[in-house]
Amino acid sequence: MNNIPFIDLKAQQAVIRTKLDTAIAKVLDSGMYIMGSEISELEARLADFSGAKYVLSCSSGTSALYLCLMAIGVNKNDAVFVPSFTFIATAESVLLAGATPVVVDVKEDTFLMDADDLQKAIADAKAKGLNPKVVIPVDLFGLPADYDRIGKIAKENNMVVISDNCQGYGSVMRGKKAGTFGDLSATSFFPAKPLGCYGDGGAVFTDNEKYVELLKSYRVHGMGADRYENVRIGINGRLDTIQAAILLVKMDILADEINKRQVVAKRYREGIKNAVHQRIPDGLTSAWAQYSILVDNRDNVQAQLKKQGIPTMVYYPIPVHKQKAYVSYAQDRAFPVSDMLSQRILSLPMHPYLDEKTQDFIITEVNKLL
Ligand SMILES: *Cc1c(COP(=O)(O)O)cnc(C)c1O
């Protein structure tokens, strides 16, 4: 087969193109390119979908994380715990906000933050004179993190939980929807995420009113009563109206797409026998931003699949503690699972429009190599 897409945004666009054209034209006609009515419409829609009380759209997943940390208020003496096996923005936001990231290893079966290692990292941070303040579990590949245990540990240590749900909008945890997993939750609307726009975008979710005014202020240059009164140092963190209009159209099909992703994931799980699959604990529904398996000899597997026209990706080849700008924050801790995953992880084509015939071909070719 030729040209199998890794993520098929074209197929999705074919389904909604007419509605998109209308929605975009409406924004063009309105002239309200910044903070047009689609922004509050989208925020209400996201709140309704997730069950979170307050939703604030913003310019990216990275700015969503950064806004959360600014609203909490952190400084260099505050330790913010992040997993080592994640996209760099999780740790980056901590440094941008002026706090100290403390890296935590992940679990071998779920690839998610290891609550036991979090406990050790908290003790290590305290021993170094740091104040444990925030933990940012990541819903890697769309799977909700271990919020039960991490939430309990956070409570015992008086820490705030920010859910990095950038890959997981649409996921469910025992009836609770993404956006409600932490004290604050950050998501991304980067095009390849489960709910993506056609540019950069993100949102912050919370039930806690005390953060709302701060988030709104930091989002627009630390504004006070109006945008030309500036009472704190903020950012330009707004979402574009045109992206909100696009997201409103995509929200109509999100639930259906999440269901379709479950079907694709199940077929991979049942079809590929000789690889390690990400374990999905009972009661959790992944948004399946990625379908990832562990293989030996990854470079060879990837090259052979490429020859067959099957694209694959490696998320992530370098864990946070080995990134050049971050090595000093690894301190003297070890991250054996993150190291192992970065060597063996391989993500396969995953999107709601992956047809059975194409997927069977992928499964057959992968099985030949394992
Ligand atoms: C994509 C992503 C982000 C950042 O989102 P952007 O919208 O690209 O800024 C943060 N954390 C994780 C885990 C992500 O996957």
Side-chain angles (χ1 to χ4, degrees):
M1 285 194 188
N2 276 325
N3 293 323
I4 297 173
F6 185 71
I7 286 177
D8 198 347
L9 292 176
K10 261 194 192 156
Q12 184 197 48
Q13 205 177 101
V15 176
I16 52 174
R17 182 61 193 247
T18 314
K19 281 179 158 183
L20 284 169
D21 286 342
T22 308
I24 292 168
K26 201 175 150 226
V27 178
L28 294 183
D29 289 342
S30 79
M32 299 295 286
Y33 310 128
I34 301 290
M35 292 308 231
S37 61
E38 284 83 356
I39 293 289
S40 51
E41 224 179 291
L42 174 70
E43 289 171 344
R45 189 79 184 275
L46 289 166
D48 185 54
F49 188 88
S50 63
K53 264 197 198 151
Y54 307 102
V55 178
L56 201 89
S57 61
C58 62
S59 56
S60 69
T62 308
S63 66
L65 289 164
Y66 183 34
L67 285 166
C68 289
L69 287 163
M70 284 193 282
I72 292 164
V74 290
N75 63 47
K76 205 167 168 35
N77 192 43
D78 292 327
V80 178
F81 300 88
V82 298
S84 190
F85 198 61
T86 181
F87 181 58
I88 201 66
T90 318
E92 183 182 41
S93 65
V94 178
L95 286 158
L96 287 173
T100 299
V102 177
V103 188
V104 178
D105 207 3
V106 296
K107 298 271 283 182
E108 216 170 328
D109 54 353
T110 59
F111 315 158
L112 304 174
M113 183 185 267
D114 181 346
D116 292 319
D117 196 50
L118 171 63
Q119 246 158 348
K120 284 184 206 142
I122 291 171
D124 290 352
K126 281 183 179 164
K128 292 200 166 78
L130 291 167
N131 168 40
K133 180 101 178 229
V134 179
V135 55
I136 313 183
V138 175
D139 302 337
L140 197 74
F141 304 144
L143 180 65
D146 187 1
Y147 291 99
D148 289 348
R149 281 203 63 204
I150 291 170
K152 202 161 159 269
I153 295 166
K155 211 169 198 173
E156 284 161 10
N157 289 278
N158 237 326
M159 288 168 24
V160 181
V161 179
I162 302 173
S163 159
D164 180 342
N165 187 249
C166 286
Q167 299 179 9
Y169 197 69
S171 61
V172 185
M173 182 177 69
R174 287 178 287 284
K176 283 181 72 159
K177 295 235 180 104
T180 64
F181 300 157
D183 298 300
L184 293 138
S185 174
T187 203
S188 165
F189 303 130
F190 180 82
K193 311 281 176 161
L195 176 62
C197 56
Y198 295 133
D200 282 305
V204 176
F205 301 72
T206 187
D207 279 353
N208 194 330
E209 199 182 349
K210 78 174 176 189
Y211 296 122
V212 178
E213 287 312 308
L214 289 166
L215 288 165
K216 281 187 181 164
S217 169
Y218 282 119
R219 177 174 65 175
V220 185
H221 305 290
M223 67 186 264
D226 68 62
R227 87 180 62 157
Y228 299 113
E229 187 204 3
N230 309 97
V231 295
R232 48 182 73 83
I233 314 291
I235 59 172
N236 173 359
R238 295 171 298 237
L239 179 70
D240 296 338
T241 309
I242 216 160
Q243 301 300 347
I246 289 159
L247 287 163
L248 279 164
V249 174
K250 291 204 184 188
M251 284 214 68
D252 288 342
I253 56 170
L254 178 64
D256 180 53
E257 287 190 341
I258 296 288
N259 288 336
K260 289 190 161 89
R261 286 175 191 270
Q262 307 309 315
V263 177
V264 174
K266 187 158 179 270
R267 296 187 88 245
Y268 271 140
R269 185 168 303 267
E270 287 168 1
I272 300 171
K273 300 273 188 241
N274 294 320
V276 176
H277 298 251
Q278 185 180 23
R279 186 172 78 80
I280 309 298
D282 287 345
L284 303 192
T285 304
S286 176
W288 294 113
Q290 304 296 339
Y291 196 94
S292 306
I293 56 174
L294 302 186
V295 297
D296 298 322
N297 254 320
R298 181 182 62 204
D299 290 354
N300 178 54
V301 172
Q302 196 169 26
Q304 296 300 323
L305 290 175
K306 192 176 173 192
K307 273 192 201 156
Q308 299 301 323
I310 300 169
T312 56
M313 300 289 275
V314 174
Y315 302 115
Y316 296 91
I318 309 175
V320 173
H321 67 276
K322 286 189 172 154
Q323 295 283 3
K324 193 174 166 201
Y326 296 80
V327 276
S328 62
Y329 299 100
Q331 298 168 339
D332 39 16
R333 311 195 70 250
F335 309 92
V337 180
S338 298
D339 289 335
M340 178 278 286
L341 292 176
S342 67
Q343 297 298 310
R344 295 184 60 202
I345 200 92
L346 187 70
S347 299
L348 302 173
M350 167 47 102
H351 58 84
Y353 306 97
L354 186 58
D355 63 79
E356 286 191 10
K357 192 166 149 257
T358 308
Q359 193 179 10
D360 285 342
F361 174 71
I362 297 167
I363 291 169
T364 305
E365 293 305 312
V366 170
N367 281 335
K368 277 186 201 164
L369 298 165
L370 301 180

